Amino acid sequence: MLDPKLLRNDLPAVAERLSVRNFTLDQDAISVLDQKRKQLQQHSEELQATRNARAKSIGQAKGRGEDIAPLLAENTRMGDELEQAKKELAIVQADFDAILLTLPNLVDASVPPGRDESENVEMRKVGVPQEFSYPPLDHVDIGARRSALDFETATKLTGSRFAVLRGELAMLHRALIQFMLDVHTREHGYTEINVPYVVNADSLKGTGQLPKFEEDLFRLVWGDAETQAEAGAAGSDYYLIPTSEVPVTNTVRDTILEASELPVRYTCHSACFRSEAGSYGRDTRGLIRQHQFEKVEMVQIVHPDESFAALDQMTGHAEAILQKLGLAYRVVILCGGDIGFAAAKTHDIEVWLPSQQTYREISSISNCTDFQARRMQARYRDPETRKPELLHTLNGSGLAVGRTLIAIMENYQQEDGSVKVPEALQAYTGGVTRVLLP
């Protein structure tokens, strides 16, 4: 959430920074609301001060033996007027807060302008894209052998955009998860954490998914109508996580950390669930865009002065996984038109896929500055002033497991349709060096 003071004191500057996202801020609506808020707040304060003064005069009149009934009646009238003013102020403040919850983060000055992903800026390319002496297969055709990658059964079990992995492919998927967690915990200094796959609405509000992106979430409903009615609002206040960023980042919600506890670094493997609303027709073949997928997430909670250095560090941590796996990739800075709602700056890592002859996103690492922390009231105590100050939060994939599996299947495929196991993974496959052999 943006700092309300920015909207009250420097609205044109906020509008200018949001325009980099191609987001048009309704300055008039905010100005009208804020002016009404100021008037009601001033009116309430004046009524309270007058009422307090009259209460004192009533006591004095009573001491002199005067008839205080008219004074009491006037005081009651003013009390009713004060109560009404407070109610109106609460409504205006709620309307203001509702607008705040829909406004994205302000992008950093280093974020390039642009309309969409075609205008993202390449930072670097690493590795040489794999070349083949034969037409390379895509991961769907490779995985069709022995039904190792089975979409038909998944559709029967659940529906479209789900997958069943069998045998050596399931083993390779599991090996990737263990490999990523080991690298991040043993080499990069993260603490492994295991969190619920179900979260409440407050957690999703804290990281910015609610209220704006509810259509992208899987909301949980259980029981019959009578059970739901008895449960009330709380009974439908749970969602499947779209990413473990949500529960992991919310571990510091409503918390004040000591500065000495920073940075907090967590890594987490989890399933992720997304409705992919509005994405129908895009990447419907294979594992690229599924309703359920798995990811190894990185989250850092840092001092505000350290967040942009942490962004570069986390990008390097995700890159290290690809380098160890011998996969070619590139790193881009997302432009204003492509950056996520909560992010101030984002680096995307895109891996080379031979079947598509292009780079595809495999990790997105974002510095959210104090945007999420303000929504969560996640703070640290300044060691000098001892006052609570907002933290900065960062998150990133380290990596998306399914997409990493795709990259290995396609880049390490052999002419006979089998797949070589990258050397870095062989310790996790029991020494198996090739899978899906004829």
Side-chain angles (χ1 to χ4, degrees), residues 42 73 102 165 189 228 267 283 301 312 350 361 409 415:
Q42 182 178 356
T102 66
L165 302 181
Q228 294 172 32
T267 187
D283 297 320
I301 313 295
D312 292 335
E350 300 173 350
E361 179 197 332
M409 292 171 70
E415 192 167 7

Side-chain angles (χ1 to χ4, degrees), residues 3 23 34 64 73 100 107-108 140 167 251 255 377 404:
D3 186 347
F23 183 97
D34 194 44
R64 293 193 296 269
L100 270 176
V107 297
D108 185 67
V140 177
T251 58
T255 299
Q377 281 302 288
T404 309

Side-chain angles (χ1 to χ4, degrees), residues 59-357:
Q60 293 171 342
K62 185 177 181 180
R64 293 193 296 269
E66 299 174 3
D67 181 11
I68 60 171
L71 295 174
L72 288 172
E74 177 63 14
N75 212 41
T76 298
R77 185 195 65 77
M78 290 189 66
D80 293 341
E81 187 178 349
L82 176 60
E83 189 64 27
Q84 182 61 33
K86 286 181 177 180
K87 288 180 180 178
E88 292 179 14
L89 178 59
I91 292 171
V92 170
Q93 187 62 56
D95 290 343
F96 189 82
D97 291 342
I99 291 175
L100 270 176
L101 287 174
T102 66
L103 299 182
N105 199 0
L106 301 183
V107 297
D108 185 67
S110 62
V111 171
R115 294 164 299 174
D116 53 39
E117 62 184 13
S118 67
E119 298 187 70
N120 293 338
V121 176
E122 183 176 288
M123 296 173 65
R124 57 183 170 273
K125 284 180 178 174
V126 178
V128 179
Q130 184 70 32
E131 294 184 359
F132 296 86
S133 59
Y134 53 88
L137 301 175
D138 75 357
H139 71 282
V140 177
D141 291 332
I142 295 170
R145 176 173 289 169
R146 295 194 290 276
S147 296
L149 179 56
D150 183 355
F151 297 102
E152 184 177 348
T153 300
T155 300
K156 177 178 70 174
L157 297 174
T158 311
S160 62
R161 296 204 182 186
F162 291 89
V164 170
L165 302 181
R166 285 192 181 89
E168 293 171 321
L169 211 54
M171 175 191 68
L172 196 58
H173 185 270
R174 170 170 51 85
L176 279 169
I177 295 165
Q178 188 65 56
F179 165 67
M180 292 176 190
L181 289 172
D182 282 352
V183 171
H184 292 318
T185 55
R186 297 174 183 178
E187 299 181 23
H188 299 156
Y190 290 82
T191 298
E192 186 174 351
I193 187 171
N194 189 286
V195 293
Y197 291 177
V198 175
V199 291
N200 55 35
D202 285 341
S203 293
L204 289 157
K205 288 175 184 174
T207 45
Q209 282 80 13
L210 285 179
K212 190 171 178 62
F213 301 106
E214 182 159 13
E215 67 174 2
D216 293 322
L217 303 169
F218 283 106
R219 188 172 188 171
L220 298 181
V221 177
W222 63 89
D224 55 19
E226 183 178 351
T227 301
Q228 294 172 32
E230 290 176 357
S236 57
D237 197 29
Y238 295 95
Y239 299 78
L240 294 175
I241 60 171
T243 163
S244 62
E245 167 206 343
V246 176
V248 175
T249 307
N250 272 275
T251 58
V252 295
R253 189 174 82 224
D254 297 323
T255 299
I256 301 176
L257 300 176
E258 292 298 328
S260 59
E261 297 179 83
L262 302 176
V264 175
R265 296 188 182 120
Y266 284 130
T267 187
C268 179
H269 160 251
S270 79
C272 307
F273 305 88
R274 299 183 186 178
S275 73
E276 297 290 352
S279 66
Y280 299 104
R282 298 176 56 205
D283 297 320
T284 55
R285 179 175 169 83
L287 293 172
I288 290 285
R289 195 179 296 272
Q290 295 276 286
H291 290 310
Q292 176 184 316
F293 59 96
E294 295 184 48
K295 194 161 55 133
V296 172
E297 187 77 358
M298 304 176 293
V299 167
Q300 290 203 27
I301 313 295
V302 304
H303 188 282
D305 294 343
E306 304 297 328
S307 63
F308 283 98
L311 175 64
D312 292 335
Q313 180 191 64
M314 291 175 69
T315 303
H317 293 162
E319 288 183 79
I321 300 294
L322 291 171
Q323 291 168 12
K324 290 175 184 291
L325 293 174
L327 295 170
Y329 66 90
R330 70 172 191 156
V331 182
V332 300
I333 302 175
L334 297 195
C335 70
D338 196 32
I339 196 169
F341 180 79
K345 187 174 184 179
T346 296
H347 295 160
D348 265 15
I349 302 176
E350 300 173 350
V351 70
W352 178 258
L353 294 186
S355 68
Q356 300 184 19
Q357 287 292 292

